[in-house]
Amino acid sequence: MKVIRKIIEIDEGLCNGCGQCADACSEGAIRIIDGKARLVAEKYCDGLGVCIGECPAGAIKILEREADEFDAEAVEDYLKMQGTSQESSKTNMQTGGPSTLNRGSRSSGKDKESEKGKVQTGPASSYLTNWPVQIRLVPAAAPFLKDAHLLVAADCTTLAAEDFHRDFLKGKAVMIGCPKFDDPAPYINKFTDIFKHDGIRKVTALVMEVPCCQGLPMIIKKGMELAGKDIPLIQIVISTKGKVISRKKV
Amino acid sequence: MRCPGQDTRYWKPGDIFEAPCPTCGNILEFFKDEPARSCKNCGHRVINPRMDFGCASYCKFAEQCIGELPPDLLAQRQELFKNRVAIEMKQYFHKDFKRIGHAAKVSRYAEQIALKEKADMAVVLTAAYLHDVGIKEAERKYKSAEAAYQEELGPPIAEAIMERLGAPAKLIKEVCDIIGHHHHPRPDETLNFKALYDADMLVNIEESRGNYLSNKESLEALIDKKFLTETGKKLAREVLLK
């Protein structure tokens, strides 16, 4: 039923596709499609404009126009449908923007449709479920770290591993950094803060066989120490040819 | 904590911009919050052409920060206040989309009625967004969404929300009073109450159509009897009897 009511309008010219509005919308009424925010359906938008405050580009406005009535039941069905696909869904990075944060916090089934028809075999599919991934950028209280099995991967391992996604990333939240070039002190602080949050179940440190990589497990261990936590830590070393050389508890 | 309006981390593109000096044409770089800058070329003191105190329209400390507010900013402030009440309401109800939808719809009708009846829009809309906030507490405390429980438990929650948004005490008092008896009109009601009451009544009838009289005459009689404003009656006839 069409009624005259308030509803959002997105100016595609101004939209930079950052996805913050989509994260803010609890109905999941906005999705990033082809790099622009789009209203999925009129009936999912209550017109209250929570998304507006999140838009850094000023691209969202509230209009009063003829539109489908907001439909709470349809929203619930829609979210439920997305929820069931959550288990297998992997966030499609193409649909997000550069500043999209904490993807784990939103219903990660959102991009399901854009993956339809894609054959998900081996290296072609991404198991990345969180963003950001840089150790420096991940907030200590990031929702995706809650109850997570955390993979801390040295930068080079992501290239060296035969199938990083399938063999190491699947089922984990990931953070990456380089123990050779990056400053260890801020990393130790970051891990201390993260471990203090009571979220992480288990940590896997993935490093290269080269000596300069050996600092990474130490940094993680130091973080646990300072946080007063003893979380199981597994260290996996891979060769420059991408083979697993060793796998041990630290 | 630093004032977010002054904190450049929250600035948007375009908040730092270039403008020519009106005397010599030399290009100067301005930050949105600096009142004036001296031209390096000719020394002329150039007033910032796009000074933006945007944050003052929503900040509860704006008056302390920049003194008495100009009328256009005050108007913008009221508009923003309404939007923020809506957002707070939504956060409060979280994933309860039925209640969010109900509040949104009541506000829509309340706005139409308040406009025609010349009621106080700020009071009516704030009350419309917040009128049912007692419901969650009522369900928790009394295991019932009964109107009387909502009316008892709603005002303190609404008060906390409005205070957080820096609403004036007078508005808080009136809105809380309305919420505190929003299903039970007193013999001599204010226009603001009536606007909210009619809007809520209309949405309630709409939402439970099946339970209400399907018979057109009795529905018409109900509208005449229950609704308190002429605009409310007219709107109800349009919505329910068309």
Side-chain angles (χ1 to χ4, degrees), chain A residues 93 98 100-102 128 130-140 142 144-145 150-156 158 169 173-179 181-183 186-187 190-191 194 216:
Chain A
M93 303 311 292
T100 311
L101 282 168
N102 301 344
L128 184 61
N130 64 276
W131 192 263
V133 295
Q134 287 287 342
I135 295 172
R136 252 173 297 195
L137 295 179
V138 172
F144 58 77
L145 293 175
L150 177 65
L151 172 67
V152 184
D155 289 342
C156 302
T158 59
L169 182 55
V174 66
M175 293 167 74
I176 59 168
C178 174
F181 293 119
D182 301 342
D183 189 0
Y187 278 10
K190 175 69 79 174
F191 283 116
I194 287 175
L216 193 62

Side-chain angles (χ1 to χ4, degrees), chain B residues 37-106:
Chain B
R37 172 164 281 210
S38 294
C39 174
K40 277 202 187 108
N41 190 36
C42 68
H44 181 72
R45 185 111 180 113
V46 185
I47 304 294
N48 184 344
R50 282 185 1 217
M51 179 124 87
D52 179 6
F53 281 126
C55 55
S57 62
Y58 56 81
C59 180
K60 66 197 258 187
F61 300 111
E63 267 165 82
Q64 288 88 325
C65 177
I66 61 171
E68 209 165 297
L69 303 171
D72 56 329
L73 211 57
L74 269 178
Q76 203 186 345
R77 197 180 168 91
Q78 274 164 10
E79 183 62 30
L80 265 160
F81 176 74
K82 279 185 329 208
N83 296 346
R84 297 189 67 207
V85 172
I87 290 168
E88 288 278 337
M89 174 277 291
K90 193 165 168 176
Q91 275 164 359
Y92 186 77
F93 283 130
H94 192 53
K95 297 259 171 199
D96 192 341
F97 300 114
K98 281 202 183 70
R99 277 172 191 146
I100 293 168
H102 174 83
K105 209 165 176 188
V106 171

Side-chain angles (χ1 to χ4, degrees), chain B residues 102-103 105-107 109-110 113 128 131-132 147 151 181-185 193-209 212-213 219-229 231-233 235-237 239-240:
Chain B
H102 174 83
K105 209 165 176 188
V106 171
S107 322
Y109 292 144
I113 296 168
H131 72 281
D132 277 343
E151 289 175 344
H181 72 293
H182 73 271
H183 282 286
H184 300 96
F193 178 94
K194 289 177 182 171
L196 178 267
Y197 181 85
D198 281 3
D200 192 24
M201 174 74 73
L202 176 51
V203 178
N204 285 337
I205 297 177
E206 248 192 308
E207 283 174 352
S208 53
R209 262 277 175 72
Y212 271 88
L213 320 154
L219 195 52
E220 203 145 2
L222 179 86
I223 292 171
D224 270 336
K225 187 166 155 254
K226 288 278 188 181
F227 284 72
L228 304 175
T229 67
T231 315
K233 285 179 190 169
L235 187 63
R237 279 190 209 104
V239 173
L240 300 170

Side-chain angles (χ1 to χ4, degrees), chain A residues 6 26-27 46 69 79, chain B residues 90 97 100 105 108 111:
Chain A
K6 292 194 171 78
S26 50
E27 284 87 357
D46 58 22
E69 184 67 273
L79 291 178
Chain B
K90 193 165 168 176
F97 300 114
I100 293 168
K105 209 165 176 188
R108 190 200 315 160
E111 186 171 14

